[in-house]
Amino acid sequence: MAKHYLSLKPTEQSLTTAAAQLYAAYVIAGRVPDGAEHEWMDRAIRESIELARKIDDAVQADGEFD
């Protein structure tokens, strides 16, 4: 069996963690019906990216000063 390798940058790692937590919350809450897992994963990913963008707009992190 072929092994798959995955290398994520820090931003991708953070978004993966956020999306996984959102998706897990949907599953625990019973919101993910059988057969709709991929749609709910996609939703969690979109929402994680949206959260990251809103945070980036609201917060000036180290090194972003003019």
Side-chain angles (χ1 to χ4, degrees):
M1 176 182 275
K3 290 186 178 182
H4 297 278
Y5 294 94
L6 188 64
S7 178
L8 300 175
K9 304 259 186 226
T11 300
E12 295 167 325
Q13 292 171 1
S14 297
L15 289 170
T16 299
T17 299
Q21 290 174 340
L22 281 170
Y23 180 69
Y26 296 142
V27 170
I28 290 168
R31 308 254 328 251
V32 182
D34 288 339
E37 294 85 0
H38 289 285
E39 290 85 1
W40 282 87
M41 287 181 205
D42 291 343
R43 177 181 174 163
I45 292 167
R46 284 192 313 272
E47 290 174 345
S48 296
I49 293 168
E50 183 178 351
L51 285 168
R53 287 183 176 150
K54 287 183 178 284
I55 291 167
D56 189 47
D57 290 344
V59 177
Q60 191 169 20
D62 296 343
E64 291 185 338
F65 301 106
D66 293 331

PDB file of all heavy atoms in Angstrom, residues 3-21:
ATOM      1  N   LYS A   3       2.133   4.914   0.714  1.00  0.00           N
ATOM      2  CA  LYS A   3       1.974   5.872   1.807  1.00  0.00           C
ATOM      3  C   LYS A   3       1.765   7.259   1.227  1.00  0.00           C
ATOM      4  O   LYS A   3       2.367   7.620   0.213  1.00  0.00           O
ATOM      5  CB  LYS A   3       3.205   5.880   2.707  1.00  0.00           C
ATOM      6  CG  LYS A   3       3.368   4.634   3.519  1.00  0.00           C
ATOM      7  CD  LYS A   3       4.523   4.797   4.477  1.00  0.00           C
ATOM      8  CE  LYS A   3       4.665   3.563   5.338  1.00  0.00           C
ATOM      9  NZ  LYS A   3       5.746   3.703   6.318  1.00  0.00           N
ATOM     10  N   HIS A   4       0.935   8.015   1.883  1.00  0.00           N
ATOM     11  CA  HIS A   4       0.687   9.394   1.478  1.00  0.00           C
ATOM     12  C   HIS A   4       1.388  10.309   2.472  1.00  0.00           C
ATOM     13  O   HIS A   4       1.320  10.091   3.679  1.00  0.00           O
ATOM     14  CB  HIS A   4      -0.807   9.694   1.456  1.00  0.00           C
ATOM     15  CG  HIS A   4      -1.549   8.865   0.462  1.00  0.00           C
ATOM     16  ND1 HIS A   4      -1.598   9.177  -0.871  1.00  0.00           N
ATOM     17  CD2 HIS A   4      -2.241   7.722   0.607  1.00  0.00           C
ATOM     18  CE1 HIS A   4      -2.297   8.269  -1.505  1.00  0.00           C
ATOM     19  NE2 HIS A   4      -2.706   7.362  -0.634  1.00  0.00           N
ATOM     20  N   TYR A   5       2.050  11.314   1.948  1.00  0.00           N
ATOM     21  CA  TYR A   5       2.741  12.272   2.801  1.00  0.00           C
ATOM     22  C   TYR A   5       2.068  13.623   2.669  1.00  0.00           C
ATOM     23  O   TYR A   5       1.625  14.005   1.588  1.00  0.00           O
ATOM     24  CB  TYR A   5       4.214  12.364   2.409  1.00  0.00           C
ATOM     25  CG  TYR A   5       4.951  11.079   2.690  1.00  0.00           C
ATOM     26  CD1 TYR A   5       5.097  10.117   1.704  1.00  0.00           C
ATOM     27  CD2 TYR A   5       5.470  10.825   3.954  1.00  0.00           C
ATOM     28  CE1 TYR A   5       5.762   8.929   1.965  1.00  0.00           C
ATOM     29  CE2 TYR A   5       6.134   9.634   4.224  1.00  0.00           C
ATOM     30  CZ  TYR A   5       6.274   8.694   3.226  1.00  0.00           C
ATOM     31  OH  TYR A   5       6.919   7.521   3.492  1.00  0.00           O
ATOM     32  N   LEU A   6       2.004  14.314   3.767  1.00  0.00           N
ATOM     33  CA  LEU A   6       1.332  15.596   3.807  1.00  0.00           C
ATOM     34  C   LEU A   6       2.194  16.550   4.610  1.00  0.00           C
ATOM     35  O   LEU A   6       2.661  16.208   5.700  1.00  0.00           O
ATOM     36  CB  LEU A   6      -0.035  15.424   4.485  1.00  0.00           C
ATOM     37  CG  LEU A   6      -0.997  16.575   4.490  1.00  0.00           C
ATOM     38  CD1 LEU A   6      -1.419  16.921   3.068  1.00  0.00           C
ATOM     39  CD2 LEU A   6      -2.235  16.194   5.284  1.00  0.00           C
ATOM     40  N   SER A   7       2.429  17.712   4.068  1.00  0.00           N
ATOM     41  CA  SER A   7       3.212  18.732   4.765  1.00  0.00           C
ATOM     42  C   SER A   7       2.423  20.037   4.722  1.00  0.00           C
ATOM     43  O   SER A   7       2.184  20.585   3.636  1.00  0.00           O
ATOM     44  CB  SER A   7       4.570  18.903   4.081  1.00  0.00           C
ATOM     45  OG  SER A   7       5.305  19.906   4.729  1.00  0.00           O
ATOM     46  N   LEU A   8       2.003  20.496   5.890  1.00  0.00           N
ATOM     47  CA  LEU A   8       1.204  21.709   5.970  1.00  0.00           C
ATOM     48  C   LEU A   8       2.017  22.850   6.568  1.00  0.00           C
ATOM     49  O   LEU A   8       2.775  22.654   7.512  1.00  0.00           O
ATOM     50  CB  LEU A   8      -0.037  21.479   6.838  1.00  0.00           C
ATOM     51  CG  LEU A   8      -1.009  20.400   6.374  1.00  0.00           C
ATOM     52  CD1 LEU A   8      -2.105  20.211   7.405  1.00  0.00           C
ATOM     53  CD2 LEU A   8      -1.600  20.745   5.024  1.00  0.00           C
ATOM     54  N   LYS A   9       1.846  24.025   6.018  1.00  0.00           N
ATOM     55  CA  LYS A   9       2.462  25.234   6.566  1.00  0.00           C
ATOM     56  C   LYS A   9       1.713  25.601   7.842  1.00  0.00           C
ATOM     57  O   LYS A   9       0.584  25.144   8.079  1.00  0.00           O
ATOM     58  CB  LYS A   9       2.362  26.376   5.551  1.00  0.00           C
ATOM     59  CG  LYS A   9       2.958  26.051   4.210  1.00  0.00           C
ATOM     60  CD  LYS A   9       4.307  26.665   4.083  1.00  0.00           C
ATOM     61  CE  LYS A   9       4.818  26.458   2.670  1.00  0.00           C
ATOM     62  NZ  LYS A   9       6.161  26.002   2.652  1.00  0.00           N
ATOM     63  N   PRO A  10       2.308  26.449   8.702  1.00  0.00           N
ATOM     64  CA  PRO A  10       1.651  26.809   9.976  1.00  0.00           C
ATOM     65  C   PRO A  10       0.228  27.348   9.813  1.00  0.00           C
ATOM     66  O   PRO A  10      -0.662  26.978  10.581  1.00  0.00           O
ATOM     67  CB  PRO A  10       2.590  27.860  10.572  1.00  0.00           C
ATOM     68  CG  PRO A  10       3.936  27.495  10.033  1.00  0.00           C
ATOM     69  CD  PRO A  10       3.664  27.004   8.625  1.00  0.00           C
ATOM     70  N   THR A  11      -0.008  28.181   8.818  1.00  0.00           N
ATOM     71  CA  THR A  11      -1.365  28.715   8.611  1.00  0.00           C
ATOM     72  C   THR A  11      -2.326  27.596   8.251  1.00  0.00           C
ATOM     73  O   THR A  11      -3.447  27.532   8.759  1.00  0.00           O
ATOM     74  CB  THR A  11      -1.362  29.777   7.499  1.00  0.00           C
ATOM     75  OG1 THR A  11      -0.495  30.848   7.881  1.00  0.00           O
ATOM     76  CG2 THR A  11      -2.757  30.326   7.245  1.00  0.00           C
ATOM     77  N   GLU A  12      -1.894  26.691   7.393  1.00  0.00           N
ATOM     78  CA  GLU A  12      -2.729  25.552   7.015  1.00  0.00           C
ATOM     79  C   GLU A  12      -3.000  24.647   8.214  1.00  0.00           C
ATOM     80  O   GLU A  12      -4.111  24.130   8.363  1.00  0.00           O
ATOM     81  CB  GLU A  12      -2.060  24.756   5.895  1.00  0.00           C
ATOM     82  CG  GLU A  12      -1.931  25.522   4.596  1.00  0.00           C
ATOM     83  CD  GLU A  12      -1.002  24.870   3.609  1.00  0.00           C
ATOM     84  OE1 GLU A  12       0.012  24.266   4.018  1.00  0.00           O
ATOM     85  OE2 GLU A  12      -1.275  24.979   2.396  1.00  0.00           O
ATOM     86  N   GLN A  13      -1.998  24.474   9.063  1.00  0.00           N
ATOM     87  CA  GLN A  13      -2.181  23.662  10.266  1.00  0.00           C
ATOM     88  C   GLN A  13      -3.235  24.278  11.175  1.00  0.00           C
ATOM     89  O   GLN A  13      -4.108  23.570  11.705  1.00  0.00           O
ATOM     90  CB  GLN A  13      -0.856  23.528  11.016  1.00  0.00           C
ATOM     91  CG  GLN A  13       0.180  22.718  10.290  1.00  0.00           C
ATOM     92  CD  GLN A  13       1.549  22.770  10.954  1.00  0.00           C
ATOM     93  OE1 GLN A  13       1.726  23.410  11.985  1.00  0.00           O
ATOM     94  NE2 GLN A  13       2.520  22.109  10.360  1.00  0.00           N
ATOM     95  N   SER A  14      -3.166  25.593  11.350  1.00  0.00           N
ATOM     96  CA  SER A  14      -4.140  26.281  12.207  1.00  0.00           C
ATOM     97  C   SER A  14      -5.549  26.171  11.643  1.00  0.00           C
ATOM     98  O   SER A  14      -6.508  25.918  12.384  1.00  0.00           O
ATOM     99  CB  SER A  14      -3.765  27.757  12.365  1.00  0.00           C
ATOM    100  OG  SER A  14      -2.536  27.886  13.013  1.00  0.00           O
ATOM    101  N   LEU A  15      -5.674  26.357  10.336  1.00  0.00           N
ATOM    102  CA  LEU A  15      -6.994  26.253   9.709  1.00  0.00           C
ATOM    103  C   LEU A  15      -7.523  24.826   9.762  1.00  0.00           C
ATOM    104  O   LEU A  15      -8.730  24.619   9.947  1.00  0.00           O
ATOM    105  CB  LEU A  15      -6.949  26.764   8.271  1.00  0.00           C
ATOM    106  CG  LEU A  15      -6.779  28.274   8.120  1.00  0.00           C
ATOM    107  CD1 LEU A  15      -6.507  28.635   6.671  1.00  0.00           C
ATOM    108  CD2 LEU A  15      -8.007  29.005   8.645  1.00  0.00           C
ATOM    109  N   THR A  16      -6.640  23.846   9.620  1.00  0.00           N
ATOM    110  CA  THR A  16      -7.052  22.448   9.727  1.00  0.00           C
ATOM    111  C   THR A  16      -7.591  22.158  11.122  1.00  0.00           C
ATOM    112  O   THR A  16      -8.638  21.507  11.272  1.00  0.00           O
ATOM    113  CB  THR A  16      -5.873  21.510   9.406  1.00  0.00           C
ATOM    114  OG1 THR A  16      -5.450  21.763   8.065  1.00  0.00           O
ATOM    115  CG2 THR A  16      -6.261  20.057   9.549  1.00  0.00           C
ATOM    116  N   THR A  17      -6.908  22.646  12.135  1.00  0.00           N
ATOM    117  CA  THR A  17      -7.356  22.447  13.513  1.00  0.00           C
ATOM    118  C   THR A  17      -8.717  23.096  13.744  1.00  0.00           C
ATOM    119  O   THR A  17      -9.622  22.478  14.324  1.00  0.00           O
ATOM    120  CB  THR A  17      -6.320  23.011  14.507  1.00  0.00           C
ATOM    121  OG1 THR A  17      -5.089  22.317  14.311  1.00  0.00           O
ATOM    122  CG2 THR A  17      -6.775  22.858  15.938  1.00  0.00           C
ATOM    123  N   ALA A  18      -8.870  24.328  13.285  1.00  0.00           N
ATOM    124  CA  ALA A  18     -10.142  25.030  13.461  1.00  0.00           C
ATOM    125  C   ALA A  18     -11.274  24.312  12.726  1.00  0.00           C
ATOM    126  O   ALA A  18     -12.367  24.125  13.273  1.00  0.00           O
ATOM    127  CB  ALA A  18     -10.024  26.473  12.972  1.00  0.00           C
ATOM    128  N   ALA A  19     -11.019  23.891  11.492  1.00  0.00           N
ATOM    129  CA  ALA A  19     -12.044  23.196  10.713  1.00  0.00           C
ATOM    130  C   ALA A  19     -12.411  21.868  11.354  1.00  0.00           C
ATOM    131  O   ALA A  19     -13.593  21.504  11.406  1.00  0.00           O
ATOM    132  CB  ALA A  19     -11.557  22.979   9.276  1.00  0.00           C
ATOM    133  N   ALA A  20     -11.421  21.154  11.860  1.00  0.00           N
ATOM    134  CA  ALA A  20     -11.693  19.869  12.511  1.00  0.00           C
ATOM    135  C   ALA A  20     -12.536  20.063  13.763  1.00  0.00           C
ATOM    136  O   ALA A  20     -13.450  19.268  14.036  1.00  0.00           O
ATOM    137  CB  ALA A  20     -10.382  19.173  12.858  1.00  0.00           C
ATOM    138  N   GLN A  21     -12.263  21.109  14.514  1.00  0.00           N
ATOM    139  CA  GLN A  21     -13.047  21.374  15.719  1.00  0.00           C
ATOM    140  C   GLN A  21     -14.482  21.764  15.370  1.00  0.00           C
ATOM    141  O   GLN A  21     -15.429  21.305  16.022  1.00  0.00           O
ATOM    142  CB  GLN A  21     -12.380  22.464  16.556  1.00  0.00           C
ATOM    143  CG  GLN A  21     -11.099  21.995  17.203  1.00  0.00           C
ATOM    144  CD  GLN A  21     -10.358  23.097  17.923  1.00  0.00           C
ATOM    145  OE1 GLN A  21     -10.555  24.291  17.673  1.00  0.00           O
ATOM    146  NE2 GLN A  21      -9.483  22.704  18.838  1.00  0.00           N
TER     147      GLN A  21
END
